[in-house]
Amino acid sequence: MGENYVLQLKNIRKEYPGVTALKDVSLGVKPGEILALIGENGAGKSTLIKTCSGAVVPTSGKIVINGKEFSSMTPQLAAENGIAIIYQEFSSVRELSAAENLFLGNPIRRGILVDKKAMEREAEKAFAQLNIDINPKTLVGDLTVGYQQMIEIAKAVKQDAQVLIMDEPSAPLTSSEVESMFKVCQLLKSQGVSIIYISHRLDEVMYLSDRIVVLRDGEYIDTLITSETNVDELIRLMVGRDLKESYPPRDVKINSEEIVLELQNVSGNGTEDINLKVRKGEVLGLGGLVGAGRTELGQLIFGSAHKTSGKIIFKGKEINPKNPRQAIDLGIALVPEDRKRHGILAEISVKNNINMPIYKKISRMSVIQSKKEVENATTYQESLLIKTPTIHQSVKNLSGGNQQKVILGRWLAANSELIIFDEPTRGIDVGAKFEIYKLINSLVESGKTIILISSEMEELMGMSDRIIVLAEGRITGELQRDQFDQEAIMRLASRVQEA
Amino acid sequence: MKSSIVSEVKEKNGMKDRVIYHIKDKAIWAVFLAIVVGFSLASPRFLSSSNLFIIMRQVSMYGIASVGMMFVILTGGIDLSTGSVITIVNVVCAHLMVKMGFGMVSAVLVSLLLSVFIGLLNGFMVATIRMPAIIATFASQIVFAGCAYLLSGGVPIYGFDPRFKVIGQGYVKAVPVPVIIMSVCFAIGSFILNKTYFGRYFYAIGGNEEASKLSGIKVSSIKYLVYALSGLFAGLAGIVMLSRTNSAQPTAGNGYEFDVITCVVLGGVSVAGGYGKISNVIAGVLIIGVLTNGMVLLNVSTYMQMVVKGIVLALAVGFDCLQKKRALT
Ligand SMILES: Nc1ncnc2c1ncn2[C@@H]1O[C@H](COP(=O)(O)OP(=O)(O)OP(=O)(O)O)[C@@H](O)[C@H]1O
Ligand SMILES: [Mg+2]
């Protein structure tokens, strides 16, 4: 039976102290197919695929590649056997050019010198083969995440990968970038390459994959033929119960008199001449393409970047936060989008991560009141369904989605009046997403105000009371709830200012 | 019903977790015990109570300075000026008492202020100017070693009030005063790291500076604080040393920082910052103390001692790195 699989995982088990991440999971990948791998945060998806490269050594189980059996892998072995992996949080070397990144680890050499010209020529060919438009000389740090990912894919192809494994590749991408990634995937498939595709976006999975494997709590649940299933069934298998993926209703009367935040002609940090008002109890959505200046605007309000002109008025008073501490003390919070760089304190426990912004507040004469600290952490662990054996676990040991939830918990604990959410549900599973939406609702119901930045159109329209769209650092339009429409938002988002 | 099973399983896993954690955590103490047993078999004098007191007195200066060094390393920095702070505190304190007629207490206070000032200067270079810590504190190491030499004219200063000896050589009941000072320093260190909010900040900054800033931590203020504290603890070690030797040598603390860094790193504090426990640093300090003392008892040459200490340092860090690697895969 082994013949019709390029890659087979047999009874893979992985135990960590206190957690069994995988319980005898088996699956097989056929040549030239796209196999999707889905499951809730912490289901074991990343752990499973890491066993294919040796980044994780399974406690027991076998990995079979083209009939050859291995009990554990190393990155070299994986590469030699045609397995390439693009990790959930991949990192390219920002200071090197696209070509140099492509040849990282085995540069083309002439004697002991690297042959830059040859690498650039080869890189150009490799990119052309995948129809991607990158100048090999560009520094990777200057490219968007989408292009950086393309380079990773090109690297895999260059190594003659037979199986390409991608862990949540679409999470950091814009919708048009996702489309070009799909094209590359399909091109590879037509060349006989198999792909394992991990994603929380079920519509992508339905569109792209041939078969779908579902994991839950480290256990194999089922394999489905994509054309014979639907999103509801997938959710049921993932979560273990019925769940309508939708937006919970909320019961808030927005007080149009009470303006919590007002920006007057604010410029700086890549934004220009921003005028907007946010009313108490409102969820204001900020729409636009990645790079439109939404994150940058959030940073201005939060004091992690500075405006060059204009006024920020918070609760009737002009404010000028010089750093995040001042903004936090005023009652403003920002949940950052880049959790690895701006979010997690990896070595530190879940409990300490959640309490970080409020330690001073819960201290008496500099001494932390440990009861409050534990209470806080437990509250958010439970309400956000953070999957961890104890709140004393280091955050680095949590799955990607659960790390994201810890950061959310941190900012909910800060109990701020205005909370800016920058892509709050990126990489978060359907069940927890719904919980986060409910939380946002209960926040506004209790009188808080929210600015929601999201690239997921559905989420933006589902959760906002009003949407302001930005393009190239300027506001291009505003939509009231009854005017919400995907096309209208896209049109505003891609509108380029004349002069 | 189901939830009780779940919590039971959780509890059991939690137990296993904790046991493994404890064993791992206590490995350094096992190493310490092994060394103690080894030396006491090799030399009968080693375990005598008089020798044990000598060890404790010897390590007290390392111990005191290691608390401040640990803070700095936790934030991802390093303090190479410790040795020079010790030297200059020796020279200045002696100079004030002998040449300028200062009283004991005021001379000590002024010297400690100076050590805090040097720490703040390091903080300024690292946090405000944003120089790499290794270069900034290296610069102040050189500068203040030079200053100490200039001030003393290269000759030892002695002739203090006899009561000054108490700090380094005195006893309370049967316990040497420097050991008491060291214990108090460890207690303060433990209190700061485990109980206060700014202690948590040390770990956060070493773990991810950018994220710490966004969590509302005033990263520069905290950096000033850790370097100032490192200066202060080094200064205190300097005073103890001055009292022990009863004369200020113009090169008293030269090279001290490396022993102190070794103690801290041996105690499992991550050189990259963000991780470390003070109880293990105590073990690190004791190991270095016991090693030095035992080798002297066994007449091991100074150069051989260097070889051994270097190997111990490499083994300690190597072991730690291996454990981390294993935990990840
Ligand atoms: N090094 C580790 N130490 C302890 N537990 C770990 C470690 N790595 C992963 N885990 C645990 O294993 C489980 C599976 O994690 P994994 O990262 O595979 O989840 P995932 O399915 O990829 O989730 P996500 O969608 O959030 O990325 C989680 O419960 C996680 O806490
Ligand atoms: Mg994952």
Side-chain angles (χ1 to χ4, degrees), chain B residues 62-101:
Chain B
Y62 291 140
I64 296 168
S66 71
V67 176
M69 183 67 81
M70 180 186 179
F71 292 169
V72 172
I73 294 182
L74 276 181
T75 64
I78 191 91
D79 189 351
L80 295 185
S81 70
T82 301
S84 292
V85 170
I86 290 176
T87 308
I88 196 134
V89 161
N90 264 273
V91 171
V92 166
C93 187
H95 188 85
L96 289 175
M97 289 194 294
V98 177
K99 306 260 164 80
M100 297 180 71

Side-chain angles (χ1 to χ4, degrees), chain A residues 262-326:
Chain A
E262 182 173 0
L263 303 187
Q264 294 178 352
N265 311 320
V266 170
S267 300
N269 196 27
T271 65
E272 242 167 279
D273 200 26
I274 302 287
N275 285 290
L276 61 80
K277 286 181 185 163
V278 195
R279 292 164 300 176
K280 189 174 165 84
E282 179 176 48
V283 177
L284 173 70
L286 292 185
L289 305 173
V290 169
R294 298 171 300 166
T295 297
E296 288 73 10
L297 186 61
Q299 289 170 341
L300 283 184
I301 302 170
F302 189 56
S304 54
H306 304 293
K307 61 178 166 49
T308 48
S309 65
K311 270 189 194 173
I312 303 177
I313 298 163
F314 182 63
K315 293 197 291 181
K317 274 198 222 90
E318 184 174 350
I319 61 164
N320 242 328
K322 285 198 189 53
N323 52 43
R325 178 78 256 162
Q326 290 184 0

Side-chain angles (χ1 to χ4, degrees), chain A residues 14-22 38-50 56 88 167-168 198 200 215 218 339 387-389 393-403 405 427-429, chain B residues 326-329:
Chain A
K14 178 64 192 174
E15 287 167 9
Y16 288 110
V19 192
T20 305
L22 295 171
I38 64 171
E40 288 181 294
N41 295 128
K45 307 178 294 295
S46 299
T47 310
L48 184 65
I49 59 122
K50 279 182 192 161
V56 165
Q88 193 161 7
D167 196 353
E168 293 190 44
I198 299 179
H200 286 293
L215 297 184
R339 69 165 168 263
K387 208 176 149 208
T388 170
Q393 177 82 303
S394 299
V395 167
K396 65 162 189 260
N397 290 341
L398 302 194
S399 79
N402 282 301
Q403 295 180 354
K405 291 186 206 167
I428 282 188
D429 67 53
Chain B
R326 193 150 339 129
L328 279 179
T329 57

Side-chain angles (χ1 to χ4, degrees), chain A residues 478-496:
Chain A
E478 176 175 337
L479 299 167
Q480 301 301 325
R481 194 160 180 105
D482 50 6
Q483 301 168 310
F484 285 0
D485 166 46
Q486 196 145 342
E487 292 215 345
I489 296 174
M490 280 316 290
R491 219 167 23 241
L492 290 170
S494 46
R495 180 187 291 174
V496 181

